[in-house]
Amino acid sequence: MAIETIATAAAQTAPSPAAVTQSASYRKYLRGLRHRALIVQAWQIGLVALFLGVWEIAPRAGWINPMLTSYPSAVARTLFVMLQDGSLVQHTWTTLSEIMIGFCGGMALGLVCAVALWSSPFLYRVLDPFIVVLNGVPKIALVPIFYIWLGDMASIYAMAIAVSVCCRSRTAPLPVGPGGEA
């Protein structure tokens, strides 16, 4: 009963959120925050516009090869054409399905390799130096090698598998396998 009375009295004496007045210094502080946020956004938009402008001008002026970089205007035109004819959706779906196939294949192969290395201490000792070396190679460096060896389609899957299989942490030792050896 006493708690209800205290709660009722507190509710009657508490000012409503609309009735709370802000001090002049707090309003000035909030204006400063909004002003700084607008300045940051203006700089961000300006930097993007500058980047796009330089990108558009550089190939046209001959500073860089337009065959390698194209133009933002050409990219935008192609984007709108692909949106209109539906080919963007088709190509996006193809890319996503290739990513998923490569990822799932890599995970399956990685799981098989992990189980094989865990269950056979001999196999682990034989292959560990090669796995360590493969982990030291930047994965992006494998792209041209796979592309030359396997062609355009198979290299996509091979790259996903290589990234999945070769990414092994060296922070913890390999657990002891069924043979009792590490």
Side-chain angles (χ1 to χ4, degrees), residues 78-99:
T78 304
L79 175 66
F80 290 125
V81 167
M82 292 179 77
L83 280 170
Q84 289 174 347
D85 68 11
S87 61
L88 183 65
V89 174
Q90 174 191 356
H91 293 301
T92 302
W93 175 251
T94 301
T95 301
L96 288 175
S97 61
E98 288 173 349
I99 289 170

Side-chain angles (χ1 to χ4, degrees), residues 3-179:
I3 294 175
E4 291 175 2
T5 307
I6 293 171
T8 305
Q12 291 172 351
T13 59
S16 67
V20 175
T21 58
Q22 299 173 345
S23 69
S25 60
Y26 184 67
R27 285 192 304 271
K28 182 179 176 184
Y29 169 75
L30 290 178
R31 278 194 308 274
L33 284 180
R34 284 191 292 273
H35 181 71
R36 282 191 292 276
L38 287 174
I39 289 174
V40 167
Q41 288 177 344
W43 271 98
Q44 290 170 338
I45 291 168
L47 286 174
V48 169
L50 177 69
F51 173 76
L52 291 174
V54 170
W55 180 15
E56 185 74 33
I57 293 168
R60 293 187 191 280
W63 301 339
I64 54 177
N65 186 352
M67 192 67 177
L68 299 175
T69 60
S70 188
Y71 311 99
S73 58
V75 172
R77 271 193 308 277
T78 304
L79 175 66
F80 290 125
V81 167
M82 292 179 77
L83 280 170
Q84 289 174 347
D85 68 11
S87 61
L88 183 65
V89 174
Q90 174 191 356
H91 293 301
T92 302
W93 175 251
T94 301
T95 301
L96 288 175
S97 61
E98 288 173 349
I99 289 170
M100 291 308 298
I101 290 169
F103 180 76
C104 292
M107 292 303 292
L109 186 59
L111 181 64
V112 169
C113 290
V115 168
L117 290 171
W118 178 79
S119 63
S120 172
F122 175 76
L123 186 63
Y124 170 74
R125 283 194 300 276
V126 168
L127 295 180
D128 185 55
F130 301 104
I131 294 171
V132 170
V133 168
L134 279 176
N135 274 331
V137 174
K139 304 309 174 256
I140 196 71
L142 299 174
V143 171
I145 295 169
F146 286 164
Y147 191 82
I148 291 169
W149 286 352
L150 305 171
D152 59 347
M153 288 302 293
S155 64
I156 295 169
Y157 301 116
M159 192 64 211
I161 290 170
V163 169
S164 299
V165 171
C166 294
C167 292
R168 179 174 75 89
S169 174
R170 299 288 294 166
T171 58
L174 190 68
V176 175

